[in-house]
Structures are given as structure tokens and as C-alpha cells.
Amino acid sequence: MTSNTEKLQKVLARAGLGSRREMEAAIEAGRVKVNGKVATLGDRIEMRDKVTFDDRPVALRGAEETPRRVIMYNKPEGELCTRKDPEGRRTVFERLPRLRGERWIAIGRLDINTSGLLLFTTDGELANRLMHPSTQIEREYAVRVMGEVRKEHVKAMVEGVMLDDGPARFTDVQEFGGEGINTWFHVVIMEGRNREVRRLWESQGLTVSRLKRVRYGNIFLDKRAKAGEWVELSQDEIDDLALSAGLAPRKVPELTPNEKNRWSRDKNKRRPVQAMRKPKNTQGR
């Protein structure tokens, strides 16, 4: 094994074909070939190898050649964090600006009944680092809780409780106003496990009636993006995000005049949504 080889799924993610996890699934499904042979999970490749994805050639790029764009999207309730839904429900990807030769990769997910901050990037390595548990990136949520929240409830959730898939805890819980069934809290968690925020409150016999992510790492949801809208992050914001993931800063490529026009048209077509019908059967984070 030579030092200039890399894991196949890492190179595919860097090429903008999807997240590293999605690429692992594609390899296992036999959709990837290296030098004409069906690839297997665990394969390592060099930049000179010929790789195809669904029988289409993949343009391999080194880490420094990968464009690093990041957009912030304000997800409304009722949208799914998937590229396509068999039932025809609206997905977050339908509202994003179109790319040519690249794909938006979601940095984490939100369930259908959770709104707020979602980040998307063209850099598969950045996405993988920010989602990986070892990076310990803070996620902050605004939570409306039904039921009487007592000090012992908060203490238990901060110290940690045992859920079906292992121990979980909030690193911070702050009351944020309201009363009765309209009491709001802000909580901080370091993971992105399925329905973890909701399940932590449920462990104390309390029900979350509204859940909105307001921060991911150093990026706060702000007025630049209303519900159903996106905004491209600045160079400084992207650099800070990369540094928090242990990656070196990289200049964000400027949009070409054609790209600017296309993104502007996309933004004008994708107006904010006020309310969406909720499906009966839902699952989420």
C-alpha cells in the first residue's frame, strides 16, 4: 500500500457525488467501478485510476482542487432531508441553487417535524468532518416543551440518561421564556443521533411540541434566510467552520456571471413557505 492512495469513498465524496456514508452504500451496491472492475468497500485508489459511478466517468480531484461552498438553509416543518421521496413529499434539495458538475451534500439532517438551520456544502471532506462524532461540533436547538419542567429533569438530562441506543446528554439547558405549555428552552448537544433531542425530553416524561435548530458549530440561523430560503456563507464563516473541523481554510470560488444569474433565478423561484401539512406518520431527530 502506498502513501498516495486514499479510500475510495473519501475520493468520491470529495468529487461531490454525495456524503461519505452515501458513497459507502453506493460501493456496496456495486455502482462504482475502478479500472473497469466493480469496487468493494475498503478499496484504496490513486488519482491516476479510472473510476466510474453508475457507468459514468468520475473526475477525480485532490483535496486542494475541491471547491468549498457552503450555504445555510432555513428548513420549514414538513420538508424531508432526502434527495427524492417515493411519496412525492417536498424535500430540502428542491429549494437549493442548482450546481453543475457538483452536488450539495447535507451536513447532518433534521426530521420532517423539525425546522431551522441546515448546512449544505460541495466539499465532502468538510461534511464528513463536521458530522463525525469525534469532531464534537455543538448543535443548539430551541425547544418548546409541554409539561412541567422541574430542576431534577434538567439535572438528569445534563448529567446523562440511558436511551435505547446508548447514553445521551445535553451539555447545556437554558430556559428561554414562556409559561405552561408554551415554555421554551435552548439546549446544546454534541451529536446528531436520530430524534436524540426529543428522546432526551421524553425520558423525563415531557413532550417536545416544537423543535428548531438555531446553531451548528459557529453558524447561527439569522434573518438572512427566512423559512424556505437559503444564503451562501461568507469566506470568513466558511473558514471558521473549516477550522472547527480541523481543515485548513480555502478560498471560496467566485460565482461566474452565468452561475450568479442561475442562483438568482433559483432564489426567486423558491419563495418562503408559511405552513405545510404534516404527514400522519413521522420520525425524526
Side-chain angles (χ1 to χ4, degrees):
M1 183 183 299
T2 58
S3 59
N4 61 341
T5 63
E6 291 186 276
K7 289 183 178 179
L8 178 56
Q9 63 266 30
K10 180 178 180 179
V11 177
L12 292 172
R14 194 164 64 217
L17 294 171
S19 69
R20 198 177 295 187
R21 184 176 298 175
E22 289 172 331
M23 293 303 97
E24 289 174 353
I27 294 168
E28 290 183 321
R31 300 170 62 190
V32 182
K33 294 179 181 177
V34 178
N35 300 324
K37 296 181 179 180
V38 176
T40 58
L41 200 57
D43 285 353
R44 299 179 69 91
I45 65 169
E46 299 179 350
M47 291 299 102
R48 65 185 180 185
D49 288 324
K50 297 186 183 300
V51 179
T52 61
F53 185 88
D54 290 338
D55 294 322
R56 292 192 294 268
V58 177
L60 304 184
R61 293 181 293 208
E64 293 304 314
E65 300 174 284
T66 306
R68 180 182 289 162
R69 301 188 190 280
V70 183
I71 58 173
M72 173 176 66
Y73 178 63
N74 188 347
K75 176 191 175 297
E77 293 181 18
E79 289 186 352
L80 293 169
C81 290
T82 184
R83 294 190 186 275
K84 292 183 180 180
D85 178 54
E87 299 179 29
R89 292 171 294 182
R90 189 188 298 276
T91 76
V92 294
F93 287 95
E94 294 173 22
R95 293 187 167 271
L96 306 185
R98 291 168 293 166
L99 294 168
R100 289 184 178 172
E102 298 173 287
R103 298 179 83 187
W104 290 117
I105 302 168
I107 300 173
R109 301 166 66 90
L110 293 176
D111 72 62
I112 193 170
N113 285 334
T114 301
S115 63
L117 174 63
L118 270 176
L119 296 177
F120 295 86
T121 182
T122 55
D123 185 349
E125 182 62 22
L126 177 63
N128 183 68
R129 292 281 191 97
L130 289 172
M131 289 187 286
H132 201 279
S134 64
T135 312
Q136 292 288 284
I137 299 294
E138 290 186 344
R139 290 95 155 155
E140 183 175 344
Y141 293 81
V143 187
R144 189 175 71 185
V145 181
M146 294 182 65
E148 181 186 355
V149 180
R150 299 192 295 270
K151 288 183 179 180
E152 53 264 37
H153 294 148
V154 174
K155 184 173 184 291
M157 291 186 293
V158 171
E159 291 182 348
V161 298
M162 184 61 68
L163 302 178
D164 292 342
D165 54 354
R169 62 182 289 266
F170 292 130
T171 58
D172 191 29
V173 178
Q174 296 291 333
E175 189 169 345
F176 227 70
E179 58 184 18
I181 64 170
N182 288 315
T183 304
W184 284 87
F185 292 83
H186 274 221
V187 300
V188 176
I189 201 164
M190 308 295 284
E191 298 178 294
R193 284 150 59 186
N194 186 43
R195 296 188 72 252
E196 190 169 3
V197 173
R198 295 180 190 274
R199 289 188 292 142
L200 271 165
W201 286 98
E202 288 167 1
S203 74
Q204 305 305 304
L206 301 165
T207 301
V208 172
S209 59
R210 291 286 301 277
L211 183 60
K212 182 176 185 176
R213 186 154 68 192
V214 296
R215 178 169 64 90
Y216 197 105
N218 63 301
I219 305 300
F220 288 83
L221 185 65
D222 56 34
K223 295 180 180 179
R224 287 179 294 174
K226 298 178 182 178
E229 289 187 341
W230 52 266
V231 64
E232 186 171 21
L233 297 187
S234 69
Q235 179 75 60
D236 287 345
E237 287 174 319
I238 296 174
D239 287 349
D240 285 347
L241 200 59
L243 288 170
S244 70
L247 295 173
R250 188 185 307 157
K251 182 172 175 57
V252 177
E254 293 185 11
L255 292 172
T256 66
N258 285 340
E259 286 174 328
K260 287 181 180 179
N261 290 335
R262 188 168 68 248
W263 283 34
S264 178
R265 290 195 302 270
D266 287 347
K267 180 166 284 190
N268 289 333
K269 283 193 303 183
R270 292 157 171 76
R271 292 300 182 187
V273 291
Q274 300 303 319
M276 303 190 73
R277 185 177 62 185
K278 297 179 183 178
K280 294 180 180 179
N281 297 322
T282 59
Q283 292 181 342
R285 189 168 270 74

